[in-house]
Amino acid sequence: MSTNVDPLVLDFVEWVARAPRRHAEVIETWRTSCPRLTIWEDAADAGYVTRTAIGGAGLVVAVTAAGAQLLRDNGRCIG
């Protein structure tokens, strides 16, 4: 069953699901100058991804159980 969610949020969550990403990589890759495009913040606010401090790696962004379920519900792959 498909969940009504922004396709870019799905793309972002799928990208993170392939492998946890360093916070700096997320910011660099998904940076935008448009204040209306807050894809990664929207995904975090919805509980699809989380930021965790990992010793030696700094902040890491990873998919949550809710994010994995979102991907499954929408026929997307999970890493």
Side-chain angles (χ1 to χ4, degrees):
M1 174 198 304
S2 178
T3 304
N4 186 14
V5 66
D6 185 324
L8 284 176
V9 170
L10 278 171
D11 290 346
F12 172 74
V13 175
E14 185 176 30
W15 178 76
V16 172
R18 291 184 193 129
R21 310 289 180 156
R22 293 189 64 193
H23 184 265
E25 178 186 7
V26 172
I27 296 297
E28 180 66 26
T29 303
W30 290 85
R31 171 179 45 196
T32 179
S33 60
C34 178
R36 294 179 189 220
L37 279 178
T38 57
I39 302 308
W40 99 272
E41 291 91 343
D42 293 347
D45 290 346
Y48 301 138
V49 297
T50 187
R51 292 168 283 216
T52 305
I54 297 180
L59 277 178
V60 174
V61 179
V63 171
T64 64
Q69 186 63 51
L70 174 75
L71 293 175
R72 284 191 294 275
D73 289 349
N74 285 277
R76 301 287 185 108
C77 69
I78 20 182

